[in-house]
Amino acid sequence: MLVNLTRRDHFTLLGFPGLHPQYYGPVSAVMFFVYIAIGFGNIFILVFVMCEKKIQKPTYLIFCHIALSDLTFGTVTLPKIIAKYWFGNSLISFYGCFVQMFFVHYLGSVQSFNLMVMALDRFISICLPMRYPVLISNTVVSVLCGISWCIPLPIIITVVLQTVFLPFCKSNVISQCYCDRMSIISQTCTENMLSLNTTALSLAMFCLLLPLAFILFSYTSVIVVILKMTNAKGCRKTFSTCTPQIIITCLFYLPRCFLYLSNFTGFSFSLDFRILLIMLYSLLPAAVNPVIYCFKTQDIKKSLLMKLHRARINIEQKGIYNE
C-alpha cells in the first residue's frame, strides 16, 4: 500500500472550529486581556519578591518559579492565538510548531514538579514545624526548584524528537489553539502508534501523576494535623497558610484530571468544548495565581498595604507642602 508522504513546511491552527467569524474580534480581545493579565501579574510577583527583602522566604521563592513558568507559557501560546483571531494568521511553521509543543509540555511538567516542592514546603512547615528551619531554606528551595526545571527537560526533548521525525501524510490542520503532541501526532501515518502513545503516556504519568501522588499525601497529612488541633484560632491560622497553595494546585490539576478521566471512561465532548476546557486549565491558573498570591498570602498582602499606605502619606505631604 502506497502512502503519500509530504514534508510539511507549516501547520494551520484550527482554534475553535465552531466559532462564527463575527466573534473573532471579541475572542482576540479576551485573549489579549488574558495575556496582559498574565504578563502584568506574574512580572509584578517576580519584581515584588526580588525587591521586598522581608518576603524573600522559601514559600515566596516557589511562587516566583511558578510565576516564571506561567509567564513563559502565556508568552509561548497566546500571541499566536491572538494573531489568528485578530489578523487572520493561523499558520505556524513546521519547526515552530514543534518548538511550541516542547514548551507547552515542558512548562506543564515543570509546573507540576514546582507544585510538588510547594506541597513539600507546607508539609514540613505544618507537620514538622520544629525541623522546618533546618530542612527548608532559601538555598534548599532554590535547588529543589532548579531540579524541577531540569527533570522534565530530557523527557520532553525525547518526546519531541520522537515526534518530529514521524512521517506526515494527513492534513496539516492542528485541531487546537496551540501545538501539542496529541494534535500533531494525529497528522501522522506511522504504524507503531500504540507504542508511541504508550511511551508518551508513561512519561506524562511520571511528570504529572508522580508529583500529584506526593501532593495528595502532603495536603492530606496537613489537613489531618490541622483537624487534630484543639485551638480553633490556631487551626484557622494554620489552615490559612496553606490555602493559597491548595487553590493553586486545584486550579492546575482538577481540570486536567477531569479531562483525562473522561477520555478513559469514554465520555466525549464536542471539539469546541474540549478546546475551551484545555484553554481554561492552561491559561486560567496563570492569570489568577498572582491574585491568589496577593490576596490570600498575609506577608504579601501586608507588604502591599504598607507600601500603599506610605504612598498615600507621601502624596498627602506633597499636597500640604505645595499649599
Side-chain angles (χ1 to χ4, degrees):
M1 179 179 178
L2 295 176
V3 179
N4 182 23
L5 298 178
T6 57
R7 187 60 178 174
R8 307 292 183 197
D9 59 357
H10 70 273
F11 287 103
T12 300
L13 295 174
L14 184 62
F16 299 99
L19 186 67
H20 195 276
Q22 68 178 351
Y23 297 112
Y24 285 6
V27 167
S28 62
V30 169
M31 292 297 179
F32 182 72
F33 173 77
V34 171
Y35 188 30
I36 294 298
I38 290 173
F40 177 79
N42 288 288
I43 289 173
F44 172 79
I45 292 298
L46 290 169
V47 173
F48 189 78
V49 173
M50 283 192 295
C51 295
E52 194 71 16
K53 295 189 180 298
K54 292 180 181 179
I55 60 172
Q56 289 179 1
K57 303 174 184 177
T59 301
Y60 304 106
L61 293 181
I62 300 171
F63 286 167
C64 284
H65 282 272
I66 293 174
L68 181 60
S69 176
D70 286 337
L71 178 63
T72 308
F73 186 91
T75 303
V76 167
T77 57
L78 278 170
K80 198 61 195 175
I81 304 170
I82 295 168
K84 172 180 171 55
Y85 287 112
W86 210 325
F87 305 111
N89 180 13
S90 58
L91 300 182
I92 183 169
S93 69
F94 180 83
Y95 291 109
C97 191
F98 282 94
V99 170
Q100 192 179 64
M101 168 191 162
F102 165 78
F103 280 106
V104 164
H105 294 291
Y106 172 64
L107 293 170
S109 301
V110 168
Q111 196 77 314
S112 185
F113 283 106
N114 278 331
L115 290 173
M116 184 172 71
V117 175
M118 189 167 67
L120 175 65
D121 173 70
R122 289 300 86 197
F123 172 77
I124 295 177
S125 175
I126 295 172
C127 299
L128 304 168
M130 301 301 292
R131 303 189 65 183
Y132 183 81
V134 178
L135 296 175
I136 300 295
S137 65
N138 288 354
T139 303
V140 170
V141 161
S142 297
V143 170
L144 290 176
C145 288
I147 293 172
S148 297
W149 285 88
C150 293
I151 289 176
L153 192 59
I155 297 172
I156 305 303
I157 288 176
T158 301
V159 172
V160 172
L161 291 178
Q162 187 185 50
T163 310
V164 74
F165 293 111
L166 292 175
F168 290 85
C169 61
K170 299 179 183 179
S171 71
N172 64 341
V173 177
I174 300 295
S175 301
Q176 181 55 277
C177 288
Y178 52 74
C179 296
D180 65 348
R181 184 184 178 278
M182 289 302 297
S183 300
I184 293 176
I185 208 169
S186 65
Q187 307 305 316
T188 66
C189 50
T190 180
E191 296 179 356
N192 60 339
M193 186 70 74
L194 180 61
S195 174
L196 289 173
N197 286 336
T198 302
T199 302
L201 182 63
S202 301
L203 296 175
M205 293 306 98
F206 172 76
C207 291
L208 292 176
L209 290 190
L210 179 64
L212 178 59
F214 180 80
I215 289 167
L216 289 174
F217 165 76
S218 297
Y219 288 126
T220 301
S221 302
V222 165
I223 291 171
V224 169
V225 169
I226 291 173
L227 292 176
K228 288 182 178 179
M229 291 181 177
T230 55
N231 187 333
K233 185 177 179 180
C235 179
R236 286 194 300 270
K237 184 177 180 181
T238 303
F239 185 73
S240 68
T241 62
C242 61
T243 301
Q245 289 86 339
I246 293 175
I247 295 173
I248 292 166
T249 303
C250 288
L251 283 173
F252 181 83
Y253 274 109
L254 285 181
R256 283 174 168 81
C257 291
F258 172 72
L259 189 61
Y260 293 153
L261 286 174
S262 65
N263 291 337
F264 182 76
T265 56
F267 186 76
S268 60
F269 317 106
S270 66
L271 182 57
D272 281 300
F273 183 78
R274 182 184 180 84
I275 293 173
L276 177 62
L277 186 63
I278 292 172
M279 294 298 292
L280 283 175
Y281 76 58
S282 298
L283 299 173
L284 183 63
V288 172
N289 284 349
V291 180
I292 297 172
Y293 303 148
C294 292
F295 292 100
K296 287 289 185 179
T297 307
Q298 290 299 322
D299 288 341
I300 293 180
K301 190 193 300 185
K302 288 179 181 178
S303 296
L304 281 173
L305 291 174
M306 190 176 298
K307 284 185 176 295
L308 290 173
H309 180 66
R310 288 174 181 171
R312 184 174 62 83
I313 292 174
N314 290 335
I315 291 172
E316 290 176 354
Q317 289 177 342
K318 287 180 180 178
I320 295 172
Y321 292 149
N322 290 334
E323 291 176 359

